[in-house]
Amino acid sequence: MYEYLEQLANDVINKKKPAYQLIDCLNCEKGCNCGAGTVNQEMPLDELEGYVEERMKNRVAAWMLLRLTSIRWFRSPKK
């Protein structure tokens, strides 16, 4: 993290983009999914990330289905 912040300081001075106004510095070595408040600390990171990606794909598919059915409902011909 310190290396990142040091480089960020140089980037800000040299006006390189992007220079973020907010940086989220987390204390979890493997990210929030394997952090101190989880039960996943012993799970291999690749396995855990696979579950996260699968959940994300399922949520996107559910959202798309909901969106498509909503569009059909709004566009249905009036009788």
Side-chain angles (χ1 to χ4, degrees):
M1 178 52 62
Y2 294 111
E3 294 167 0
Y4 173 77
L5 292 174
E6 185 175 308
Q7 182 59 44
L8 182 63
N10 292 331
D11 290 346
V12 170
I13 290 168
N14 295 320
K15 299 187 181 193
K16 290 185 180 178
K17 298 287 182 182
Y20 301 103
Q21 294 180 351
L22 175 67
I23 300 167
D24 191 4
C25 303
L26 304 174
N27 193 32
C28 307
E29 181 180 344
K30 296 180 182 176
C32 292
N33 293 321
C34 288
T38 69
V39 296
N40 304 319
Q41 295 172 6
E42 300 301 320
M43 184 181 291
L45 189 56
D46 288 341
E47 181 180 353
L48 180 63
E49 291 299 322
Y51 290 125
V52 171
E53 184 152 338
E54 181 180 347
R55 181 180 64 206
M56 186 258 320
K57 287 179 183 178
N58 290 339
R59 295 304 307 145
V60 168
W63 180 83
M64 291 297 291
L65 181 61
L66 178 65
R67 186 168 183 258
L68 288 173
T69 56
S70 297
I71 290 171
R72 280 192 221 128
W73 183 79
F74 285 117
R75 290 185 180 173
S76 64
K78 294 182 181 181
K79 294 182 181 182

